Amino acid sequence: MSYPPYVLAEVSSPNRTGYLLFWSRGRTNQAIEHSATREGQTNFPNTMTATPNPYLADNFAPVQTELTSDPLCVVGKLPPELNGMFVRNGPNPQFSPIGRYHWFDGDGMLHGVQIQDGKASYRNRYIHTTGFRQEHQAGRALFGGLLQPSPNGFKNVANTALVWHHNQLLALWEGGEPHAIEVPSLDTIGSHTFGGKLASPMTAHPKIDPITGEMMFFGYSLVQPPYLKYSVVSARGELLRTVPIDLPIGVMMHDFAITERYTIFMDLPLTFRMERIQRGEPAFAFESDRPSRFGILPRHGDNSTVRWFEASSCYVFHTLNAYELGDEVVLIACRMENASVLGTAPGSHEGDNRAIGSDVPRLHCWRFNLNTGAIQEDPLDDRPCEFPRINEQYLGQPIRYGYTGSSAPTAMPKFDGLLKFDLEHQSVQTHSFGAGRYGGEGVFVPRPGATAEDDGWLITFVYDEAGGKSELVIVAAQAMSEEPIARILMPQRIPYGFHGIWVSSM
């Protein structure tokens, strides 16, 4: 059983967490039972805990039916060149949780919309991890979560993100191994360990070089040096090498970045210390008196070739991109002044950051001069935003455009629209989902054969809270302020979740 790298912080801490990331006709509605219960036969009682958990209510609540629906109703017109499958990962507990539930705890569920020749179909499937299968056989939850562990420990939930590499879709969770997923069925093939070579957990945010096809990833540990391991996978899917990287202490490292020649790690001061546990304090704390360190090493380098730069204290969950510009390495990411996601802000409720202004992410730029050692950092905009995406054909290369979710002024982590940043002209365009409508990460899909960086579409699920309905919206990236060019009506509610991907038709 794989253990998440951050669980010990909550094992010994009674504190609640602070703000999270942010954030027809025919056979339609035909339900196909797999491992989930049918709607109306939910595994969840009406009252799950003495205090209602907001991540088990409203559109954060799980759905209990696995569907296959075809065809779907389309409002507008799907682009004829848009052929492939949009898949989004997210937490969806199959049983009533043991103890207090954190949004990170839910079993991974994939929601997929396949688009082909102007028509669309939908399916959703649980990711069948070892822990999921054990609980399904028992008919109840067996494993605890971040806020309240159990004697059985923790399970790999595979609920965070997805990557497509060497013609294989992988479901990711930073505390353990990835899981291979069949496309388009979304059935789980099983754990993927690169032929037994995987020597660490795998980040939920690996990077694929669009030119060489190589995939870079890392895994981290909080309690056992080396606290970081860095791996490179060839374009053919072979894990070529894993090297240790020295850190002074275990930290939560969620993301990283690559350029054409370099890899950038972020040693940020959200630290894990056993001595805090011994004092009855949360093991995780944001140490604002510690600098943020950025390690830059050649892509095929090792610990001896890392060059560390120190900058002002901050935290970053997600990077937008990085690239080389003369003697400089440029990094763009969503930066926060503080981080209370893992219980470092006593009294704050899970998901409610209205009183924690320093936890709000905003787009930020760092420039590291490899010749002089100088660092320059600048805020790029003051709008709260998260889940940054780009046209990944430009990953590691200079870019003009970046896209994020527009963080809503709500207690719970929601996006009320999408933002398009023009980094060259320092301007921002907004696409609003509409009143009472909230969505997720906007995945950029380039138009086949396009030559302009922003020629493509942003795709995401949107939920209408008044109507209780979900849809997949497709927004033209070159016309952000206009209505979606197409809306695909979903046969069931799609809970808010994490990260998605577009897999083009082969």
Side-chain angles (χ1 to χ4, degrees), residues 147-189:
L147 302 180
Q148 194 166 340
S150 70
N152 290 330
F154 300 84
K155 60 183 174 181
N156 183 334
V157 289
N159 68 6
T160 309
L162 298 153
V163 67
W164 176 264
H165 187 248
H166 188 52
N167 296 322
Q168 179 64 66
L169 183 64
L170 300 177
L172 307 169
W173 177 73
E174 68 190 61
E177 75 278 7
H179 285 74
I181 304 297
E182 187 177 54
V183 177
S185 71
L186 301 186
D187 293 334
T188 304
I189 298 171

Side-chain angles (χ1 to χ4, degrees), residues 106-119:
D107 298 290
M109 175 176 277
L110 302 176
H111 297 267
V113 177
Q114 187 173 11
I115 299 173
Q116 192 70 39
D117 300 326
K119 298 179 180 179

Side-chain angles (χ1 to χ4, degrees), residues 25-356:
R25 300 183 299 179
R27 293 166 51 226
T28 301
N29 296 328
Q30 176 185 357
I32 299 179
E33 284 194 72
H34 288 264
S35 63
T37 58
R38 294 182 63 88
E39 207 159 17
Q41 297 176 338
T42 175
N43 296 315
F44 289 81
N46 292 330
T47 303
M48 300 190 62
T49 58
T51 301
N53 188 309
Y55 287 113
L56 294 170
D58 303 319
N59 198 44
F60 289 92
V63 294
Q64 295 297 294
T65 305
E66 291 181 320
L67 295 178
T68 296
S69 297
D70 180 14
L72 301 179
C73 177
V74 178
V75 179
K77 184 178 180 180
L78 293 169
E81 321 96 302
L82 188 63
N83 293 298
M85 192 171 195
F86 176 80
V87 187
R88 199 219 63 198
N89 204 346
N92 197 94
Q94 67 168 325
F95 295 109
S96 180
I98 297 175
R100 292 170 58 213
Y101 174 77
H102 189 290
W103 201 22
F104 289 162
D105 295 339
D107 298 290
M109 175 176 277
L110 302 176
H111 297 267
V113 177
Q114 187 173 11
I115 299 173
Q116 192 70 39
D117 300 326
K119 298 179 180 179
S121 61
Y122 165 83
R123 70 182 62 218
N124 65 306
R125 298 291 185 268
Y126 273 111
I127 301 170
H128 287 218
T129 65
T130 298
F132 176 92
R133 293 195 303 270
Q134 291 173 341
E135 291 184 327
H136 183 68
Q137 184 175 4
R140 60 184 178 87
L142 300 174
F143 301 95
L146 299 183
L147 302 180
Q148 194 166 340
S150 70
N152 290 330
F154 300 84
K155 60 183 174 181
N156 183 334
V157 289
N159 68 6
T160 309
L162 298 153
V163 67
W164 176 264
H165 187 248
H166 188 52
N167 296 322
Q168 179 64 66
L169 183 64
L170 300 177
L172 307 169
W173 177 73
E174 68 190 61
E177 75 278 7
H179 285 74
I181 304 297
E182 187 177 54
V183 177
S185 71
L186 301 186
D187 293 334
T188 304
I189 298 171
S191 295
H192 187 80
T193 62
F194 300 94
K197 294 182 179 180
L198 184 65
S200 72
M202 181 173 175
T203 176
H205 296 289
K207 309 300 179 190
I208 298 175
D209 186 316
I211 298 174
T212 69
E214 293 171 300
M215 178 170 68
M216 279 58 68
F217 70 86
F218 68 90
Y220 68 91
S221 170
L222 294 172
V223 296
Q224 182 178 355
Y227 296 111
L228 183 64
K229 291 184 178 180
Y230 167 53
S231 299
V232 178
V233 179
S234 74
R236 301 181 305 277
E238 179 186 1
L239 204 164
L240 299 176
R241 62 198 303 264
T242 297
V243 297
I245 304 293
D246 289 337
L247 300 178
I249 190 173
V251 297
M252 183 179 181
M253 188 182 298
H254 187 67
D255 202 354
F256 74 131
I258 65 167
T259 70
E260 181 179 356
R261 296 182 295 166
Y262 298 102
T263 296
I264 303 106
F265 293 114
M266 300 181 293
D267 177 15
L268 308 178
L270 182 54
T271 65
F272 177 92
R273 295 185 184 272
M274 291 297 295
E275 54 265 36
R276 284 196 287 259
I277 296 179
Q278 296 169 356
R279 296 194 299 264
E281 301 171 357
F284 265 110
F286 184 81
E287 300 184 19
S288 59
D289 58 338
R290 290 174 58 89
S292 294
R293 300 200 315 150
F294 297 83
I296 301 177
L297 76 158
R299 175 174 299 179
H300 296 280
D302 55 26
N303 187 63
S304 66
T305 57
V306 181
R307 183 171 181 183
W308 291 99
F309 293 77
E310 289 191 357
S312 60
S313 180
C314 70
Y315 194 73
V316 171
F317 274 110
H318 298 111
T319 63
L320 177 76
N321 193 29
Y323 55 89
E324 300 162 36
L325 195 62
D327 292 331
E328 293 183 325
V329 169
V330 179
L331 172 66
I332 303 174
C334 292
R335 178 189 186 274
M336 298 185 294
E337 291 283 345
N338 203 331
S340 62
V341 63
L342 296 176
T344 61
S348 63
H349 193 281
E350 289 98 322
D352 190 344
N353 78 322
R354 290 171 294 180
I356 314 174

